[in-house]
């Protein structure tokens, strides 16, 4: 999907699996600062992630518990794209955040 920036560093695909029907949110203790680019700092992991584009919108949505399916549907509507196109990208970003310890099941 054009304009989609993944979390850096990327988690290998075989480790980035996620249940789309579960709700996810920010991990307790995750710190972030929002400017024109989103920067997420997760102290327990000591990792810094630069989130922009749709990845930044995914992070903002995780402020409240949300399922991958609901989040994908919301972003598909915002970008006027098919949910079938947006869903896998949203799931990948959430999976990378979960694998890095920045997001967790609600």
């Amino acid at each position: 999907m054009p304009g989609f920036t993944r979390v850096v560093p990327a988690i290998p695909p075989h480790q980035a699996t996620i249940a789309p029907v579960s709700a996810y949110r920010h991990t307790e203790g995750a710190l972030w600062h929002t400017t024109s680019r989103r920067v997420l700092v997760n102290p327990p992991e000591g990792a810094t992630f630069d989130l922009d584009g749709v990845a930044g919108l995914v992070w903002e949505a995780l402020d409240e518990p949300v399922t991958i399916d609901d989040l994908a549907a919301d972003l598909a509507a915002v970008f006027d794209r098919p949910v079938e196109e947006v869903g896998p990208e949203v799931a990948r970003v959430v999976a990378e955040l979960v694998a890095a310890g920045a997001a967790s099941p609600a």
Side-chain angles (χ1 to χ4, degrees), residues 11 22 29-31 50 80:
I11 306 299
S22 296
L31 302 175
D50 184 11
D80 194 27

Side-chain angles (χ1 to χ4, degrees), residues 10-93:
I11 306 299
H14 67 280
Q15 293 178 355
T17 58
I18 199 152
V21 294
S22 296
Y24 295 89
R25 67 170 301 135
H26 300 152
T27 298
E28 185 73 31
L31 302 175
W32 68 95
H33 177 73
T34 303
T35 62
S36 61
R37 295 175 62 166
R38 279 95 169 144
V39 178
L40 160 70
V41 179
N42 187 311
E45 300 296 324
T48 300
F49 298 94
D50 184 11
L51 306 175
D52 64 5
V54 175
L57 295 175
V58 168
W59 175 254
E60 288 179 353
L62 294 177
D63 195 38
E64 296 291 329
V66 63
T67 67
I68 301 301
D69 291 342
D70 288 345
L71 181 52
D74 290 346
L75 291 176
V78 167
F79 290 102
D80 194 27
R81 307 296 299 174
V83 73
E84 297 80 12
E85 180 181 324
V86 175
E89 297 296 335
V90 169
R92 184 179 1 227
V93 169

